[in-house]
């Protein structure tokens, strides 16, 4: 294969990888915990209707055998649910007659958990009738999968003393099927408390900070310059060393100020398209792109490590049609990476799939942080300021236009047919009785990561130490910004947070303030300015 063909393929290969990372980064640039937000100060309240909403765990037994657990939501009125399972009693389930529980009951519900459907009368009326029949609790089956917040009727003075919980339609179908088959169904309801400290967040914090730190030290660790591309071993070059170095130099993508602005505009456009046209096939397309990017990133990382320890390992080649001489080692690694990505994609709904997703994502981000770079603080200020406004607008201000938070709706996967967008690092909450995941978007690592890597390169080029340099302080600022992000997430009861709202001031702000105090802002602002090369990322 000729040098020019190899060069075109190599540049195309890296450019496509960067585009894939950009696409998946812009679809999820916020921190989130997949909680149900329960606060609702706008609903009517009274002394007898002032309960906090509680997530209820409903345990089901069929003929004495534990069947399954379902999640419900308690009403603003009625008795509070116990937080401990030992303080709750298991009671038989009985359907009310009439099924809507809007008139006096002909069925015996004394001491039982009464089941009824939503509709035809208000929630307080249903609870009052079930309570009058002697029910121990009332489960209201919703007509859809969402958990509707049950509030009080205006000017209603009824005193409800039994727990009232709404469950989704699918849970009602399960109960109905069991009872039609003449099975004895027993139900136990309680509301376990979430732990005050979520240790999974610490693991996620370590992954995010560690990914950026690893990307910064990657070239030193692998014994190569940042411009080295180990994936080039897949297609062996027949050029001279000098030509190869020239090609490698041009493959680094310097972000320009114009490119930074266009990037954020493009990101916003793509986000709106995702919001309006989100569907299962669209998410599957994003999963496909994620797998491609993950395979490229993992292959690059593995080959870098292998070749740094064994320079001669990739010399054996095999001739393939249309590809020419291909490194056997690189081909074998690529096939293993493809197999890993396929295994994750096939099992992406399994409980352990988060491990594969995080591995692919981390490898991908390390690779893209080797491909793209900020040339100076001027470009960093433009890019991160635009990203700062972008994040805040699409999380907090977009509901004023779209009646929903566009960023959160996209990451939540609304209308995605049960598929979830994989462009997140996620960690399960191991110590939370409710389970779920803590997550952070790739954009919240890549955007600040570009600045951290610039600080590392600047310190290295100017021979600055750890304390009088910038890298240490910027990465500490990033870690503190993540702490602020998850503190805000906790204080906002699980509402998705625009992480760049906290990360940009803690990274870019630290850099600007520190350089101003040291009198080095002008040097950082214009550092590395040169005529735009063909490898620059411009509009």
């Amino acid at each position: 294969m000729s040098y020019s063909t190899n060069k075109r393929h190599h540049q195309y290969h890296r450019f496509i990888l960067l585009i894939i990372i950009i696409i998946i980064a812009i679809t999820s640039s916020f921190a989130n915990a997949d909680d149900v937000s329960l606060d609702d100060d706008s609903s009517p309240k009274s002394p007898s209707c002032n309960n906090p909403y509680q997530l209820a765990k409903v345990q089901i037994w069929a003929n004495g055998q534990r069947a399954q657990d379902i999640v419900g939501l308690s009403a603003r009125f009625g008795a509070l649910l116990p937080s401990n399972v030992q303080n709750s009693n298991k009671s038989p389930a009985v359907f009310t007659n009439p099924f809507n529980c809007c008139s006096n009951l002909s069925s015996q519900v004394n001491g039982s958990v009464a089941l009824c459907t939503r509709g035809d009368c208000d929630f307080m009326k249903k609870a009052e009738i079930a309570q009058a029949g002697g029910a121990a609790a009332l489960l209201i089956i919703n007509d859809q999968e969402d958990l509707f917040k049950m509030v009080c009727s205006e000017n209603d003075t009824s005193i409800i003393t039994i727990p009232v919980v709404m469950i989704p339609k699918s849970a009602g179908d399960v109960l109905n099927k069991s009872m039609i088959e003449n099975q004895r169904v027993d139900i136990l309801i309680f509301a376990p408390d979430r732990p005050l400290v979520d240790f999974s967040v610490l693991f996620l914090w370590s992954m995010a900070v560690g990914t950026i730190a690893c990307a910064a030290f990657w070239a030193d660790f692998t014994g190569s310059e940042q411009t080295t591309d180990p994936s080039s071993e897949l297609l062996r070059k027949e050029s001279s060393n000098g030509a190869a170095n020239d090609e490698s130099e041009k493959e680094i993508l310097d972000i320009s100020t114009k490119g930074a602005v266009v990037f954020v505009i493009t990101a916003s456009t793509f986000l709106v398209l995702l919001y309006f046209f989100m569907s299962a096939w669209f998410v599957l397309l994003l999963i496909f792109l994620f797998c491609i990017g993950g395979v490229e990133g993992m292959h690059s990382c593995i080959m870098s490590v292998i070749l740094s320890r064994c320079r001669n390992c990739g010399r054996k080649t095999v001739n393939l049609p249309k590809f020419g001489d291909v490194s056997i080692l690189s081909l074998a690694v690529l096939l293993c990476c493809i197999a890993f990505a396929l295994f994750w994609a096939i099992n992406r709904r399994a409980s352990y799939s988060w491990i594969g997703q995080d591995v692919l994502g981390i490898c991908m981000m390390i690779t893209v942080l080797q491909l793209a770079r900020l040339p100076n603080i001027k470009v960093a200020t433009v890019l991160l300021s635009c990203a700062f406004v972008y994040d805040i607008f699409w999380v907090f201000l977009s509901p004023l236009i779209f009646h929903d938070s566009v960023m959160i709706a996209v990451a939540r996967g609304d209308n995605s047919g049960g598929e979830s967008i994989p462009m997140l690092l996620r960690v399960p909450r191991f110590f939370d009785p409710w389970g779920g995941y803590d997550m952070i978007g790739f954009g919240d690592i890549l955007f600040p990561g570009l600045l951290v890597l610039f600080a590392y390169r600047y310190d290295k080029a100017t021979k600055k130490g750890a304390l009088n340099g910038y890298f240490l302080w910027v990465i500490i600022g990033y870690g503190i910004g993540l702490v602020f992000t998850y503190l805000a997430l906790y204080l906002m009861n699980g509402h998705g947070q625009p992480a760049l709202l906290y990360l940009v001031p803690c990274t870019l702000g630290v850099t600007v303030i520190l350089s101003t105090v040291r009198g080095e802002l002008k040097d950082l602002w214009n550092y590395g300015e040169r005529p735009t090369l063909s490898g620059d990322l411009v509009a």
Side-chain angles (χ1 to χ4, degrees):
M1 182 177 291
S2 68
Y3 165 69
S4 60
T5 302
N6 219 349
K7 180 178 178 179
R8 287 195 302 269
H9 175 275
H10 201 46
Q11 290 180 330
Y12 172 79
H13 172 84
R14 294 179 69 112
F15 183 72
I16 290 298
L17 176 58
L18 183 61
I19 293 301
I20 291 172
I21 302 302
I22 290 173
I23 290 174
I24 63 179
I26 61 179
T27 58
S28 187
S29 181
F30 74 105
N32 184 47
D34 55 350
D35 300 334
V36 175
S37 178
L38 303 179
D39 283 350
D40 186 3
D41 294 330
S42 62
S43 57
K45 293 183 181 181
S46 66
S48 61
C49 183
N50 196 31
N51 291 347
Y53 294 111
Q54 295 176 286
L55 277 178
K57 183 164 286 191
V58 182
Q59 297 181 345
I60 302 173
W61 282 262
N63 290 335
Q65 299 295 319
R66 180 75 173 271
Q68 68 179 82
D69 293 351
I70 58 179
V71 176
L73 184 64
S74 69
R76 179 71 84 183
F77 51 88
L80 291 174
L81 295 169
S83 60
N84 199 310
V85 65
Q86 284 78 19
N87 297 329
S88 182
N89 297 318
K90 185 165 60 174
S91 304
V94 176
F95 280 119
T96 61
N97 187 13
F99 201 14
N100 60 12
C101 198
C102 289
S103 58
N104 293 333
L105 304 179
S106 59
S107 55
Q108 294 295 322
V109 297
N110 188 44
S112 303
V113 176
L115 303 173
C116 73
T117 56
R118 177 185 175 184
D120 299 324
C121 61
D122 60 56
F123 298 119
M124 290 282 284
K125 180 69 174 178
K126 295 176 187 291
E128 190 176 0
I129 291 174
Q131 179 176 277
L138 175 64
L139 288 186
I140 299 178
I141 303 171
N142 199 8
D143 53 7
Q144 53 189 342
E145 287 305 297
D146 294 335
L147 294 176
F148 189 81
K149 293 179 179 178
M150 297 181 288
V151 298
C152 312
S153 305
E154 291 188 22
N155 303 321
D156 197 316
T157 58
S158 301
I159 305 297
I160 306 300
T161 59
I162 61 172
V164 181
V165 174
M166 175 170 284
I167 60 176
K169 181 179 183 298
S170 58
D173 294 339
V174 170
L175 290 169
N176 188 36
K177 181 181 178 182
S178 298
M179 297 178 75
I180 288 177
E181 295 173 354
N182 294 320
Q183 297 182 10
R184 173 184 170 86
V185 176
D186 295 296
I187 291 177
L188 185 146
I189 310 172
F190 65 108
D193 294 326
R194 311 200 89 144
L196 182 62
V197 178
D198 183 3
F199 292 100
S200 296
V201 169
L202 299 178
F203 188 36
L204 188 64
W205 182 92
S206 300
M207 283 203 303
V209 176
T211 297
I212 294 178
C214 186
F217 295 119
W218 190 257
D220 294 336
F221 173 74
T222 57
S224 61
E225 295 299 321
Q226 187 178 6
T227 56
T228 299
D229 180 17
S231 64
S232 64
E233 289 296 317
L234 186 60
L235 292 175
R236 295 187 54 82
K237 299 173 183 175
E238 300 174 4
S239 61
S240 65
N241 292 335
N245 290 337
D246 180 68
E247 173 193 346
S248 181
E249 177 63 27
K250 290 183 179 179
E251 286 162 358
I252 289 297
L253 301 176
D254 279 347
I255 302 172
S256 68
T257 52
K258 183 179 179 182
V261 175
V262 171
F263 169 78
V264 174
I265 295 174
T266 305
S268 297
T269 303
F270 188 77
L271 192 67
V272 172
L273 290 176
L274 276 175
Y275 176 74
F276 283 112
F277 300 105
M278 175 71 73
S279 61
W281 71 265
F282 208 116
V283 176
L284 290 175
L285 175 62
L286 293 176
I287 291 173
F288 175 72
L289 293 176
F290 173 77
C291 288
I292 292 177
V295 167
E296 296 285 2
M298 180 177 285
H299 177 264
S300 177
C301 290
I302 293 175
M303 287 301 299
S304 293
V305 174
I306 293 176
L307 294 178
S308 69
R309 299 296 179 262
C310 180
R311 291 290 181 180
N312 298 322
C313 291
R315 292 186 179 276
K316 292 184 179 181
T317 64
V318 61
N319 189 275
L320 296 179
K322 297 184 179 180
F323 289 96
D325 289 338
V326 177
S327 166
I328 295 176
L329 173 63
S330 187
L331 181 61
V333 171
L334 178 63
L335 292 177
C336 290
C337 293
I338 292 174
F340 184 91
L342 285 175
F343 180 82
W344 171 81
I346 294 170
N347 298 280
R348 63 185 180 276
R349 297 191 183 187
S351 59
Y352 54 81
S353 65
W354 66 275
I355 300 174
Q357 180 174 326
D358 290 350
V359 169
L360 290 170
I362 289 172
C363 290
M364 192 166 19
M365 286 186 285
I366 289 175
T367 301
V368 80
L369 287 173
Q370 308 304 305
L371 290 175
R373 68 184 181 188
L374 296 171
N376 49 48
I377 290 299
K378 176 171 65 177
V379 177
T381 301
V382 174
L383 177 64
L384 291 178
S385 296
C386 289
F388 178 82
V389 175
Y390 162 87
D391 225 13
I392 294 174
F393 177 82
W394 291 114
V395 174
F396 285 153
L397 302 181
S398 58
L400 300 177
I401 301 174
F402 300 93
H403 307 292
D404 195 4
S405 176
V406 173
M407 182 80 78
I408 293 177
V410 169
R412 195 169 55 216
D414 293 356
N415 304 318
S416 63
E419 295 286 353
S420 58
I421 295 176
M423 289 71 70
L424 300 157
L425 292 185
R426 60 190 182 110
V427 178
R429 300 196 204 100
F430 296 105
F431 305 101
D432 192 329
W434 292 103
Y437 292 88
D438 289 307
M439 302 174 285
I440 185 170
F442 286 174
D444 301 325
I445 299 175
L446 289 175
F447 282 121
L450 289 169
L451 177 60
V452 173
L453 264 70
F454 165 77
Y456 179 79
R457 291 196 315 273
Y458 179 83
D459 288 354
K460 190 175 180 180
T462 56
K463 296 180 170 49
K464 287 184 175 291
L467 296 180
N468 67 341
Y470 293 92
F471 169 74
L472 177 64
W473 304 112
V474 176
I475 200 165
I476 289 175
Y478 177 75
I480 294 174
L482 279 181
V483 172
F484 287 155
T485 300
Y486 284 100
L487 179 61
L489 192 66
Y490 173 78
L491 295 175
M492 296 287 287
N493 295 296
H495 286 285
Q497 292 294 301
L500 295 179
L501 170 63
Y502 311 97
L503 295 176
V504 170
C506 289
T507 52
L508 181 62
V510 166
T511 305
V512 172
I513 292 173
L514 195 59
S515 61
T516 301
V517 171
R518 293 174 176 176
E520 299 174 341
L521 180 58
K522 184 176 181 180
D523 183 45
L524 284 167
W525 191 264
N526 300 309
Y527 181 77
E529 285 199 340
R530 56 181 175 80
T532 301
L533 298 179
S534 58
D536 289 353
L537 182 62
V538 295

